[in-house]
């Protein structure tokens, strides 16, 4: 893959993350679903990989690239890592800082961009990048920077959206555009910026990151049931809290919409 054109990039609305107030931790906001409907799946997967590799996070350093309001960053910290989060949005960053203080978590947050990470080479034992790769303009540069700041043998965890017909129908049309079911803001994602697994594997290989596996992240219920749940939310019968209790992601073999995986930095 190459750097996204300005024309394609401007179709995505990253300004959502600059909105006033706490758009992350309030239960009446769409981003709160990350906590209830997305994190359990991916954090469970990360834990499984750490166990499989016999890695104890205690005393090791982790960086979350694109940390937003800290919803995933706090989970990384709770795993035992000495955790840093980097985020371009000042509003999201302030939300994350305040929430970490309220939660008694020692997390270092900094403002910055994934294409130019302000850290020396080989600074971290682990880098986590979720819900971000499909939002950046220069994906090759982001992967290069992640590899640069990882120590040899360090872990790179990620998840992203696959560019398939199914993901266009579900993630763009149903989740984002068709008002009968949509629960995401319009233009939150641009299908042209979604990443095929093989494309990501190629970028990893070019940057001394040894790809290990991919796993799918699928809705917990069949499509007809999902549509019924989303309709209840759209009509106001359900809140985002109730939607998150019923509709969430589970690890699967199906990578048609979302997938997650990890790679290890070479020597």
């Amino acid at each position: 893959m190459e750097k996204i054109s300005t024309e394609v990039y401007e179709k995505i609305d990253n300004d959502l993350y600059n909105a006033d107030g706490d758009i992350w931790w309030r239960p009446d906001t769409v981003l709160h679903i990350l906590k209830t409907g997305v994190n359990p799946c991916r954090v469970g997967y990360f834990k499984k990989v750490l166990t499989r590799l016999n890695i104890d996070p205690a005393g090791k350093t982790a960086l979350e690239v694109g940390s937003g309001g800290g919803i995933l960053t706090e989970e990384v910290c709770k795993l035992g890592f000495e955790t840093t989060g980097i985020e371009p949005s000042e509003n999201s960053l302030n939300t994350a800082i305040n929430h970490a203080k309220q939660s008694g978590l020692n997390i270092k947050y900094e403002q910055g961009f994934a294409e130019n990470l302000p850290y020396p080479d080989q600074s971290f034992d682990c880098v986590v990048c979720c819900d971000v790769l499909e939002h950046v303009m220069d994906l090759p540069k982001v992967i290069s920077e992640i590899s640069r700041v990882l120590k040899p043998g360090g872990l790179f965890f990620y998840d992203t959206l696959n560019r398939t017909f199914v993901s266009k129908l579900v993630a763009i049309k149903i989740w984002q555009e068709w008002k009968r079911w949509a629960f995401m803001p319009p233009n939150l994602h641009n299908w042209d910026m979604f990443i095929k697994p093989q494309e990501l594997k190629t970028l990893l290989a070019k940057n001394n990151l040894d790809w290990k596996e991919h796993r799918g992240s699928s809705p917990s219920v069949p499509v007809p049931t999902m549509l019924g749940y989303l309709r209840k939310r759209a009509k106001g019968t359900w809140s985002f809290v109730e939607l998150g209790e019923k509709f969430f992601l589970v690890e699967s073999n199906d990578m048609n919409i979302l997938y997650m995986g990890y790679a290890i930095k070479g020597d």
Side-chain angles (χ1 to χ4, degrees):
M1 291 189 72
E2 298 181 356
K3 182 179 178 180
I4 297 294
S5 70
T6 302
E7 181 182 6
V8 171
Y9 184 71
E10 287 180 347
K11 293 179 181 178
I12 197 169
D13 183 14
N14 283 326
D15 285 340
L16 165 71
Y17 307 108
N18 293 316
D20 293 334
D22 178 7
I23 60 171
W24 295 90
W25 293 94
R26 291 200 338 260
D28 61 337
T29 63
V30 62
L31 293 177
H32 190 264
I33 287 181
L34 293 172
K35 176 178 174 61
T36 58
V38 181
N39 269 359
C41 176
R42 60 190 177 193
V43 174
Y45 171 71
F46 295 167
K47 287 181 178 178
K48 187 162 60 176
V49 171
L50 291 170
T51 300
R52 182 192 308 162
L53 299 177
N54 196 29
I55 294 175
D56 181 1
K60 291 184 169 58
T61 55
L63 170 70
E64 188 190 4
V65 176
S67 49
I71 286 179
L72 180 58
T73 329
E74 293 196 4
E75 296 295 332
V76 174
C77 181
K78 290 174 183 177
L79 289 175
F81 286 104
E82 296 177 9
T83 307
T84 299
I86 188 163
E87 165 64 34
S89 166
E90 184 176 0
N91 180 69
S92 292
L93 202 62
N94 289 335
T95 296
I97 291 170
N98 292 334
H99 196 274
K101 288 179 180 178
Q102 293 169 10
S103 303
L105 296 174
N106 184 22
I107 299 173
K108 181 181 180 181
Y109 284 109
E110 296 183 275
Q111 189 170 21
F113 292 86
E115 292 90 346
N116 187 24
L117 297 174
Y119 307 108
D121 296 354
Q122 303 181 12
S123 294
F124 298 96
D125 297 293
C126 178
V127 173
V128 177
C129 189
C130 295
D131 301 319
V132 171
L133 298 178
E134 69 276 10
H135 286 270
V136 300
M137 187 172 185
D138 195 343
L139 181 61
K141 179 62 173 173
V142 171
I143 298 299
S144 173
E145 279 291 274
I146 286 171
S147 177
R148 181 184 65 78
V149 302
L150 260 179
K151 297 177 182 178
L155 291 176
F156 173 37
F157 285 116
Y158 55 87
D159 71 6
T160 192
L161 285 139
N162 197 354
R163 196 172 68 257
T164 65
F165 170 78
V166 176
S167 71
K168 191 166 192 175
L169 175 63
V170 176
I172 298 296
K173 298 301 181 181
I174 295 175
W175 291 356
Q176 192 170 287
E177 293 184 358
W178 290 340
K179 293 182 180 180
R180 181 176 179 84
W181 299 293
F183 67 99
M184 294 180 178
N187 302 316
L188 177 64
H189 295 112
N190 181 349
W191 184 79
D192 290 328
M193 294 173 65
F194 290 1
I195 308 160
K196 290 181 177 292
Q198 185 57 52
E199 293 171 341
L200 188 50
K201 287 169 67 175
T202 299
L203 277 178
L204 294 172
K206 288 181 178 179
N207 288 279
N208 196 26
L209 292 166
D210 183 16
W211 173 81
K212 295 301 179 182
E213 72 172 358
H214 281 147
R215 295 290 294 154
S217 302
S218 302
S220 56
V221 295
V223 171
T225 305
M226 177 189 73
L227 293 177
Y229 290 172
L230 295 180
R231 183 61 183 151
K232 288 183 177 181
R233 206 289 315 170
K235 291 194 300 183
T237 306
W238 279 4
S239 66
F240 280 115
V241 172
E242 291 166 307
L243 179 63
E245 291 172 349
K246 298 287 187 178
F247 172 58
F248 47 88
L249 297 180
V250 294
E251 183 180 339
S252 74
N253 294 319
D254 185 354
M255 299 192 295
N256 275 301
I257 305 173
L258 299 120
Y259 63 97
M260 53 192 174
Y262 76 99
I264 297 177
K265 171 78 174 286
D267 293 333

